[in-house]
Amino acid sequence: SSWWSHVEMGPPDPILGVTEAFKRDTNSKKMNLGVGAYRDDSGKPYVLNCVRKAEAMIASKKMDKEYLPIVGLADFTRASAELALGENSEVLKSGRYVTVQGISGTGSLRIGANFLHRFFKASHDVYLPKPSWGNHTPIFRDAGMQLQAYRYYDPKTCSLDFSGAVDDISKIPEKSIILMHACAHNPTGVDPRQEQWKELAAVVKKRNLLVYFDMAYQGFASGDINRDAWAVRHFIEQGIDVVLAQSFAKNMGLYGERVGAFTVICRDAEEAKRVESQLKILIRPMYSNPPMNGARIASMILNTPDLRKEWLVEVKSMADRIIGMRNQLVSNLKKEGSSHNWQHITDQIGMFCFTGLKPEQVERLIKEFSIYMTKDGRISVAGVSSGNVGYLAHAIHQVTK
Amino acid sequence: AYRTDEGQPWILPVVKKVEQMIANDNSLNHEYLPILGLPEFRANASRIALGDDSPAIKENRIGSVQSLGGTGALRIGAEFLRRWYNGNNNTATPVYISAPSWENHNSVFVDAGFKDIRTYHYWDAAKRGLDLQGLLNDLESAPEFSIFILHACAHNPTGTDPSPEQWKQIAAVMKRRCLFPFFDSAYQGFASGSLDKDAWAVRYFVSEGFELFCAQSFSKNFGLYNERVGNLTVVGKDADSVQRALSQMEKIVRTTWSNPPSQGARIVATTLSSPQLFDEWYGNVKTMADRVLLMRSELRSRLEALGTPGTWNHITEQIGMFSFTGLNPKQVEYMIKEKHIYLLASGRINMCGLTTKNLDYVAKSIHEAVTKIQ
C-alpha cells in the first residue's frame, strides 16, 4: 500500500473556490470580485509601461544568470529599503538596518517569522488585527509561533474599532510581537488616520512591543508612496525599531515574479551585520538564493530616475482608478435609491472593501446575480469597472433593500 | 556554475532564443502562477526525470511541485515528509545523508524539523571510490522506514556514482527494509550528456515499484541558476494518494512562498514542449557535458604523462561538475597559497574551472603539490 494512504485531502482554498465557481458560471454579466490582482477598466491584467521598459533595458544589457547572493540583489534591496523608509531616513544613513530580498510578501513574512522564532526569545506570541489576511496565521504557525488577536474592525460601523484596538493593545504582554498592516488593510480596507496611528505608536512603545509591519500596497493605497509609508516611518521616528515585509506584487504588477523584501531595523550597523548573517543561515536551507528576474525589473525602475517617475504616475493611476470605482459604486447605490449608509466604501482604501454584506446577502449576489465574492462580504474593487459598476450597485441594492 | 573555455558564464543559446520569444509575446503578463506552479512546466519537468514511457506517468500516479531551485524542491519534500510520511509526526524518523554530501542537505532537513540526521558510508578515501559495502551495511542496519537522500547522478562533491549493478543492489536492500528514496537530481544531462543515462537510477527505482521523491534542479542543465527553477517529482502507488499528497504540499508552499516565480518555468516549459527547441537544448547540454568530459580526460592524461605519483583514473571515472582529486588539506593549501589555484580543503575541484589555457598549469601544480607535500 501507499505511504500516503493516511494523508488527508487538504481543505480547498476559500478564495480559489470563488474563482473556480466564477469560471463555471455562464452568465454574461458575471463579476469576479474575489480576485486579489489589479485589473484595468476592461477587466484585464495590467502590465505597467515602466515594467515593459525596464524589461527591454535589461534584455539589451545581456546580463548573465549567475546565482544571486543569498540576501538577493543589492541594488534592489537598497532601493526597497529607501522606498519604505524615505531617502532621508536616519536609519539608512547610519546603516543600522538589514534588508534581504524575499519571495514577494509571503516569502518575506516567512523569513521574518522564522527569524523571530529563532532569535526573539522574549515571546513567541504574534498579535494579529482582527481580521487579518488569511495567510498570516498559517505562515506564523508554520514558523512555530502562537497567534493572538487584537480588536481592529468594527462590523457595526464597517470602520476601525479604535478604542477597542487601543484597549486590547494596551493589555498585550510586554515584549510580544504585534503585526500591523502599514496601509490598505487586507481584507477590510480600513486604515487608521494619522492621529490614530500616533496614538497606536504611543501605546505600542509603552508596552514595549516588537512591531512587524506588513506593507504590501505602498503607493497602491493612496497613490502616494510617502503617504502610504507614513505609519512605518512615524513608528521608527518614535524610536520603535520595527521589522518590515514588503511586496512589489501589486504596486509594480509583478505578481508572478515574486518580488519582496524583509527588513530588520537594528541598533547599529554592526548588529545589522550579525542579523544579516543569521538571515542567510535561515534562507539557504529554504531556497538557497532568490529569483533574479523580478528583482532586476524592480531595481531598474527604482534606480532609473525616468522609470521611477513613470512608475509613480502609473501606480497613482491604478490607485486613482480604484478610488474612482469606490466613488462610482457609492453614487450608483444612491441612484438605485438605497437608504443605507455606504460611506465606508469610500472611507476604506486599497484593493479590498468590506462591504458589510451578510453571508445570506452574499449568497444571493452569487446565485441571483453571478457576482462572486468571499462569504465575509469582501470585494476586490480591482474587479469593478465603469462597465459593471452600475450592475453591481443594482445587485447590492436588491439584496439589501 | 558552468564556465566556457574562456572561463565565462554561458547563457544557453536556446535560452536566449526562448527568452526573446517570451519578450515578444504580448499575450503574456506577470500574473500569479498557481500554487503548485506552471502546469506545462510541472508536467514536462517530471517527464524529463521519469522518461516519456514511464509506467508511473501512464498510470497517472505522479505529481509535481514547481519549486525555487533544487533547494526549494528538497525543502518542500522534507517539510511534507516530516508532517505526513510515516504517521503524522516524523521529527524522530531518521534521515540518512551520504558522507560526504552537499553541505546544505543537512540544513534543509534540520530546518524542516528532523531531529535524527545520520550519515551513510559513501566515499572511500583510501581507494578513491564508492564504499559500496559500507553503504549496503548502513542500509541493512538503518531503522525501517528511514529516509535516504540519494544523488541521482554526479554525486556532489565526490563525482562518484554507483554503477547500474550497484544501484540494483542498493534498491534491493531498500525495498526489503522499507527505506524511502529521496533523490536529488541536480545534473540530469549535464553529467554524461545523456538525459536517460543520468536518470537511470531514478527510473530503475520507479520500475521496481518504489514510491519516491525526486528533487530536480534546472540551474545547471539549463544554465538558469538565478531564476530558481526546480521541481519536486512525487511518485506514488496510486493517483488518489498522490492527489491528496499534493493538496497537502499546496498548504506547505502557501506558507513558504505562496506561488513560484514564473520566468524560469516559462523558459523551461517552452523549450521542453517544442520538439525543435528540445533538440536544440539537448545539443546545448551536450556541449557543456562534453567540455567537462574533455577537461577530465585532458587533466588525467597530463598527470599521467608527468608521472605524477598515484593513480589518476578517478579523474575520468568520476562524473559531473566536481572531482575529488585525493589531494590532502596540506596539498590543497599549497595549491592555493603557492599556485593560486582555488579548491576546497576536501580536495574537491570544479572541473568547469579548467580551460585549454590553464590545463597545463593546473596539471603541473598538482604534480608539484603531490611530489613536494606529503
Side-chain angles (χ1 to χ4, degrees):
Chain A
S1 75
S2 169
W3 279 121
W4 322 125
S5 307
H6 67 293
V7 176
E8 297 149 20
M9 194 62 157
D13 185 292
I15 297 176
L16 276 179
V18 168
T19 299
E20 294 301 305
F22 168 81
K23 282 194 193 140
R24 288 193 295 266
D25 194 322
T26 51
N27 185 343
S28 61
K29 290 191 147 152
K30 64 181 181 177
M31 291 176 69
N32 184 356
L33 300 184
V35 67
Y38 179 80
R39 295 286 176 263
D40 64 16
D41 202 49
S42 315
K44 298 245 168 21
Y46 176 61
V47 177
L48 278 64
N49 286 326
C50 63
V51 167
R52 289 205 195 280
K53 284 189 180 153
E55 287 177 308
M57 283 166 68
I58 290 165
S60 72
K61 286 189 190 217
K62 300 193 188 320
M63 295 183 241
D64 63 43
K65 295 200 175 291
E66 296 297 287
Y67 288 125
L68 280 177
I70 299 173
V71 295
L73 185 65
D75 283 346
F76 164 71
T77 53
R78 192 170 30 239
S80 190
E82 192 196 66
L83 180 70
L85 306 180
E87 60 184 5
N88 294 318
S89 169
E90 148 277 317
V91 169
L92 293 176
K93 291 192 169 77
S94 66
R96 65 180 189 93
Y97 74 102
V98 53
T99 299
V100 301
Q101 185 180 337
I103 313 298
S104 205
T106 300
S108 305
L109 281 163
R110 181 59 184 271
I111 291 170
N114 282 7
F115 177 76
L116 293 175
H117 180 258
R118 196 173 272 187
F119 291 100
F120 193 69
K121 288 310 174 192
S123 170
H124 278 170
D125 280 328
V126 178
Y127 283 76
L128 301 180
K130 218 184 316 188
S132 196
W133 181 43
N135 207 19
H136 277 145
T137 294
I139 287 172
F140 283 102
R141 192 168 283 149
D142 277 7
M145 308 297 270
Q146 270 94 252
L147 279 312
Q148 311 289 349
Y150 58 93
R151 272 175 288 168
Y152 189 81
Y153 179 72
D154 183 351
K156 288 197 286 298
T157 59
C158 296
S159 63
L160 181 64
D161 178 3
F162 184 63
S163 58
V166 169
D167 195 28
D168 281 358
I169 294 173
S170 57
K171 296 193 173 94
I172 293 178
E174 286 201 29
K175 296 193 185 161
S176 302
I177 300 159
I178 180 170
L179 182 133
M180 309 186 97
H181 297 223
C183 62
H185 181 272
N186 178 0
T188 69
V190 170
D191 284 351
R193 292 189 307 274
Q194 282 186 4
E195 307 80 62
Q196 294 172 320
W197 272 123
K198 285 177 180 168
E199 268 199 66
L200 291 169
V203 180
V204 157
K205 193 169 179 185
K206 194 145 168 233
R207 297 305 299 156
N208 195 11
L209 305 177
L210 187 147
V211 179
Y212 197 151
F213 269 112
D214 182 354
M215 185 153 69
Y217 299 98
Q218 188 184 4
F220 193 91
S222 70
D224 179 336
I225 48 156
N226 294 311
R227 186 138 157 233
D228 290 345
W230 188 87
V232 174
R233 297 175 189 181
H234 175 74
F235 272 55
I236 294 171
E237 276 160 30
Q238 296 308 305
I240 303 167
D241 289 344
V242 309
V243 300
L244 166 72
Q246 291 169 271
S247 168
F248 289 86
K250 285 86 175 172
N251 60 11
M252 284 194 181
L254 290 174
Y255 306 92
E257 303 296 338
R258 320 310 292 129
V259 192
F262 175 67
T263 295
V264 182
I265 312 263
C266 303
R267 185 178 37 209
D268 51 48
E270 189 272 332
E271 181 176 280
K273 273 266 153 287
R274 285 183 280 115
V275 169
E276 184 189 51
S277 73
Q278 294 298 341
L279 289 171
K280 285 163 72 170
I281 291 171
L282 274 167
I283 293 170
R284 175 88 165 124
M286 256 198 242
Y287 52 83
S288 278
N289 43 75
M292 168 64 101
N293 196 50
R296 250 190 201 149
I297 295 169
S299 174
M300 191 67 81
I301 291 171
L302 293 173
N303 292 312
T304 309
D306 283 349
L307 284 183
R308 191 185 176 109
K309 274 202 204 86
E310 197 168 345
W311 172 59
L312 291 175
V313 169
E314 284 191 280
V315 82
K316 185 172 189 315
S317 75
M318 288 194 288
D320 284 349
R321 193 185 91 68
I322 301 278
I323 292 168
M325 287 302 103
R326 290 178 181 275
N327 290 330
Q328 283 198 41
L329 180 55
V330 172
S331 62
N332 272 278
L333 281 164
K334 285 205 181 87
K335 257 190 269 171
E336 288 283 328
S338 177
S339 55
H340 293 289
N341 180 357
W342 296 105
Q343 191 186 329
H344 54 280
I345 291 181
T346 42
D347 282 348
Q348 289 169 10
I349 192 167
M351 194 177 285
F352 300 111
C353 168
F354 248 29
T355 55
L357 292 168
K358 303 188 182 42
E360 320 83 69
Q361 295 165 328
V362 170
E363 185 85 19
R364 284 189 62 195
L365 283 176
I366 296 174
K367 290 220 154 68
E368 296 172 33
F369 296 92
S370 295
I371 295 174
Y372 292 82
M373 64 188 71
T374 44
K375 288 269 180 311
D376 54 11
R378 184 193 85 162
I379 62 170
S380 169
V381 185
V384 182
S385 67
S386 48
N388 62 26
V389 64
Y391 178 66
L392 177 60
H394 173 76
I396 290 178
H397 177 58
Q398 294 309 306
V399 306
T400 57
K401 65 183 181 186
Chain B
Y2 177 78
R3 293 284 175 271
T4 63
D5 198 52
E6 286 77 42
Q8 293 302 310
W10 192 51
I11 301 190
L12 276 59
V14 74
V15 167
K16 275 195 202 134
K17 185 189 263 193
V18 172
E19 280 191 312
Q20 195 58 56
M21 286 164 63
I22 290 171
N24 294 340
D25 185 347
N26 282 320
S27 74
L28 293 175
N29 53 42
H30 292 289
E31 293 296 290
Y32 289 125
L33 285 180
I35 296 172
L36 294 178
L38 186 67
E40 308 82 73
F41 167 78
R42 296 163 57 210
N44 277 298
S46 291
R47 181 177 62 85
I48 288 293
L50 302 179
D52 289 333
D53 52 359
S54 173
I57 295 180
K58 285 198 176 73
E59 291 154 27
N60 197 26
R61 52 188 179 86
I62 72 134
S64 328
V65 181
Q66 182 188 335
S67 309
L68 284 262
T71 306
L74 283 164
R75 181 61 178 264
I76 299 298
E79 294 277 353
F80 177 86
L81 289 173
R82 195 253 300 158
R83 288 164 172 76
W84 294 104
Y85 166 54
N86 184 24
N88 286 1
N89 181 358
N90 288 272
T91 50
T93 302
V95 175
Y96 282 80
I97 297 173
S98 69
S101 192
W102 182 47
E103 76 286 347
N104 206 21
H105 277 147
N106 197 76
S107 313
V108 169
F109 284 86
V110 165
D111 279 16
F114 287 95
K115 302 266 182 253
D116 185 357
I117 302 187
R118 314 179 183 186
T119 56
Y120 60 89
H121 286 83
Y122 195 84
W123 172 249
D124 185 333
K127 73 170 218 229
R128 271 188 233 152
L130 179 67
D131 178 4
L132 180 66
Q133 198 50 58
L135 206 177
L136 292 172
N137 289 346
D138 286 339
L139 292 173
E140 291 288 0
S141 61
E144 268 192 325
F145 316 133
S146 296
I147 296 163
F148 272 74
I149 312 308
L150 306 168
H151 297 231
C153 69
H155 182 272
N156 178 0
T158 68
T160 300
D161 291 342
S163 67
E165 284 317 304
Q166 293 171 328
W167 273 123
K168 285 180 181 173
Q169 291 180 264
I170 293 166
V173 180
M174 289 187 72
K175 192 189 269 195
R176 183 170 28 88
R177 307 223 56 256
C178 298
L179 305 172
F180 185 83
F182 194 150
F183 279 99
D184 183 351
S185 176
Y187 301 99
Q188 191 186 1
F190 189 93
S192 70
S194 159
L195 291 172
D196 295 330
K197 192 146 168 240
D198 292 344
W200 187 88
V202 178
R203 296 176 189 183
Y204 177 73
F205 272 66
V206 172
S207 72
E208 285 294 298
F210 280 90
E211 292 188 301
L212 55 81
F213 284 178
C214 181
Q216 301 168 260
S217 169
F218 291 89
S219 292
K220 285 87 176 170
N221 60 15
F222 260 87
L224 287 174
Y225 306 92
N226 67 22
E227 301 292 4
R228 317 310 295 125
V229 198
N231 187 53
L232 178 70
T233 288
V234 175
V235 179
K237 283 254 157 67
D238 58 81
D240 188 62
S241 295
V242 172
Q243 282 319 300
R244 281 179 282 106
L246 248 52
S247 76
Q248 293 297 343
M249 291 206 185
E250 268 194 3
K251 286 178 66 179
I252 295 168
V253 168
R254 186 69 169 125
T255 61
T256 313
W257 55 63
S258 266
N259 44 78
S262 74
Q263 180 71 356
R266 268 182 185 158
I267 295 170
V268 173
T270 304
T271 305
L272 296 181
S273 50
S274 148
Q276 184 195 329
L277 292 172
F278 176 87
D279 285 345
E280 275 187 56
W281 170 60
Y282 215 129
N284 291 169
V285 171
K286 208 165 175 319
T287 297
M288 293 190 287
D290 285 349
R291 195 182 95 67
V292 172
L293 289 167
L294 179 67
M295 291 301 102
R296 285 183 179 277
S297 77
E298 292 287 299
L299 179 62
R300 172 183 170 180
S301 61
R302 274 167 181 69
L303 291 171
E304 286 171 348
L306 285 168
T308 308
T311 55
W312 300 101
N313 44 297
H314 59 282
I315 302 276
T316 48
E317 279 159 21
Q318 288 166 8
I319 193 165
M321 197 181 276
F322 301 114
S323 179
F324 252 25
T325 54
L327 293 175
N328 65 40
K330 284 211 184 68
Q331 293 165 335
V332 169
E333 203 182 332
Y334 177 86
M335 295 283 283
I336 296 174
K337 290 219 158 69
E338 304 301 323
K339 313 304 292 186
H340 311 290
I341 295 172
Y342 291 83
L343 63 160
L344 297 189
S346 60
R348 185 194 87 168
I349 61 171
N350 183 345
M351 300 304 300
C352 297
L354 289 176
T355 68
T356 49
K357 289 192 183 63
N358 66 26
L359 268 168
D360 286 335
Y361 179 69
V362 173
K364 269 211 285 255
S365 303
I366 293 177
H367 182 83
E368 279 180 33
V370 171
T371 49
K372 285 187 181 165
I373 318 274
Q374 307 315 315

